[in-house]
Amino acid sequence: MPNEPGYVSPITDHDIYLFREGTHARLHERLGCHPNKAGVGAYFAVWAPNAQAVAVVGDWNGWSGDADPLAPRVDGSGIWEGYAAAAREGHAYKYRIRSAAGAPVPDKADPFAVRCEE
């Protein structure tokens, strides 16, 4: 997670500038799921500006919304990000988003996913 020792977000201030401007041509390299190059764990990022809480749920955590919460970036961009240490390439996952209004929201597919199932 963003507060773990050694965690460095792959999203830079320049990325946020381009994102807000609407001109980020390589946003797929920053948002979505990005497995660790060592094959263990994955970085997740999703834009959910009106969320109260966001978690990534999947095969590795028993689809538990408490296991891998994401944290909002402090820059006010509406991007939530974090690291799930047990996630592996090929695991199914979705984002569990709790709206600011507290309304139940179904788990959401990743709009930047590289693969998906029907």
Side-chain angles (χ1 to χ4, degrees):
M1 299 312 299
N3 57 358
E4 287 184 17
Y7 176 85
V8 177
S9 172
I11 299 175
T12 66
D13 290 341
H14 186 67
D15 289 318
I16 296 301
Y17 172 80
L18 295 175
F19 174 73
R20 286 184 169 147
E21 189 178 66
T23 60
H24 201 304
R26 303 190 63 80
L27 200 53
H28 63 280
E29 293 177 355
R30 300 295 184 248
L31 298 183
C33 174
H34 298 280
N36 185 331
K37 296 193 186 325
V40 178
Y43 165 80
F44 293 88
V46 64
W47 184 60
N50 297 317
Q52 183 179 50
V54 178
V56 63
V57 297
D59 292 339
W60 68 91
N61 65 15
W63 298 85
S64 169
D66 298 325
D68 292 303
L70 303 182
R73 290 183 55 87
V74 296
D75 56 26
S77 63
I79 296 173
W80 294 68
E81 64 182 346
Y83 188 79
R88 304 284 187 274
E89 188 170 341
H91 278 158
Y93 71 94
K94 289 189 175 189
Y95 295 108
R96 184 161 295 160
I97 300 170
R98 186 173 29 177
S99 75
V105 178
D107 292 346
K108 300 289 188 177
D110 188 344
F112 285 95
V114 176
R115 294 188 289 251
C116 65
E117 61 186 17
E118 293 185 30

